[in-house]
Each structure stands twice: as structure tokens, then as C-alpha cells.
Amino acid sequence: MDIIKLSVIAVISAILTVFLKQYKNEYALLCSLGGGIVLLCLALPYMRDVLAEVGTIAARAGLDNRYIGAAIKVIAVTLIAECSASLCRDAGESALAAKLEIAAKLIILALTMPVATSLFDTILSILP
């Protein structure tokens, strides 16, 4: 089970980070960053499986690839921003993390505008 492997890596990374904070705060941040990168790299194959399934479902439903692409980009922006904001908070930069989250929300809004426009056009075409 991969979740056990991921959990062990996370716990070891957390213990090392707490230990290193007593001596060198910079090394503790690097340890936390390294542990996070390893976890994300080990989880990437699952993301590939999810994307393949989403593509299959979209093809069977006859959905436009534009909408699926937008949804995948929104998910990617969300995950990247969340991980980066957490690292900023771990480094003591909560204001920077908040600004990153606002920037991510603006990017998500921009990515979803074509979908919202299409939905609006569809609604207008239905109305008399």
C-alpha cells in the first residue's frame, strides 16, 4: 500500500524537520521541502491515472476538450498554490502565502471564464 510508504516518509520528514529546527532553521525548511517534493513525486502516477479516466469519461459523454482542459488546469493551479502556500507558512511568511492564494484565485477565475461564457451563451439561446 502506497499510503503507508507516503505516511512513513511524511512522518520521518516531520521528525527530522522538528529536530533540525533546534539547530539550523534553514536546514529544517529544506528538509520539509525535500520531503514534500518526494511525496508529490510518488503521488504523480496517481494523477496520470485520474487524468486518463477523466479523458475517458469526457469522450464517452461527448464533452468538449476545452472544458476538460480548463478543469484540469484549475485543479493543477489549486494543488500547486496550496502546496506552495503551505511552504510559505512553514517558512513563517504567512502574508506571502495569502498573496499567493489570492493570485491563484485570480488565475482560476481567468481559467474558468470561457466555461462561464459558454454556459451564459447556452442559457441565452434557450430563453425566448
Side-chain angles (χ1 to χ4, degrees):
M1 291 175 50
D2 287 339
I3 190 63
I4 293 173
K5 184 186 340 177
L6 293 172
S7 297
V8 168
I9 291 170
V11 169
I12 290 172
S13 179
I15 291 170
L16 285 174
T17 300
V18 169
F19 179 74
L20 288 173
K21 273 186 185 177
Q22 297 172 358
Y23 302 104
K24 288 281 190 176
N25 208 18
E26 311 83 49
Y27 294 147
L29 181 61
L30 289 175
C31 181
S32 176
L33 179 64
I37 289 171
V38 169
L39 291 174
L40 290 176
C41 288
L42 290 174
L44 278 179
Y46 292 102
M47 186 63 161
R48 184 179 51 233
D49 295 342
V50 169
L51 293 177
E53 284 299 317
V54 167
T56 302
I57 292 168
R60 286 185 12 208
L63 294 174
D64 191 352
N65 285 339
R66 208 172 34 172
Y67 304 132
I68 301 303
I72 291 170
K73 287 177 187 176
V74 166
I75 292 168
V77 167
T78 303
L79 292 174
I80 291 168
E82 185 177 340
C83 289
S84 300
S86 293
L87 285 173
C88 290
R89 281 192 195 88
D90 288 346
E93 296 293 331
S94 58
L96 187 60
K99 288 172 183 61
L100 174 63
E101 289 170 341
I102 291 170
K105 289 173 186 174
L106 289 173
I107 291 169
I108 289 169
L109 182 62
L111 287 171
T112 58
M113 285 311 294
V115 176
T117 302
S118 177
L119 179 64
F120 185 71
D121 290 343
T122 302
I123 291 171
L124 286 178
S125 69
I126 293 172
L127 295 176

